[in-house]
Amino acid sequence: PSDTSERPVRVITLEEADRIVAAAEALDAERGRSRMAPLVSLAFSTGMRAGEILALRYGPDSLDLDRGHVTVG
């Protein structure tokens, strides 16, 4: 494995994030369901990784929408 500390880190801009969310919303509208945009928005607003988001389960131990809590672990 290569040393990743030598690679420059590129952070996306707010404008790029907005365009990604808009593209996810358009994809959801095209497919007639709302799946991608909420996941993308959750990732951007929390910094969660894909695996962490996909491991979430509805309920007080993981995703509690009534209280607005997300528990990762």
Side-chain angles (χ1 to χ4, degrees):
S2 64
D3 184 7
T4 58
S5 64
E6 293 182 19
R7 283 192 273 164
V9 175
R10 182 184 178 288
V11 178
I12 65 170
T13 66
L14 186 55
E15 180 180 276
E16 290 170 325
D18 288 342
R19 288 193 347 239
I20 293 169
V21 171
E25 290 170 344
L27 181 64
D28 286 347
E30 178 183 306
R31 294 184 176 176
R33 58 183 179 227
S34 179
R35 290 187 180 171
M36 187 62 66
L39 296 176
V40 170
S41 295
L42 181 62
F44 281 140
S45 63
T46 64
M48 292 173 67
R49 297 175 182 170
E52 294 169 327
I53 291 172
L54 295 174
L56 290 174
R57 299 290 177 248
Y58 183 75
D61 294 333
S62 186
L63 180 62
D64 187 344
L65 297 178
D66 293 330
R67 293 179 34 204
H69 288 175
V70 176
T71 303
V72 179

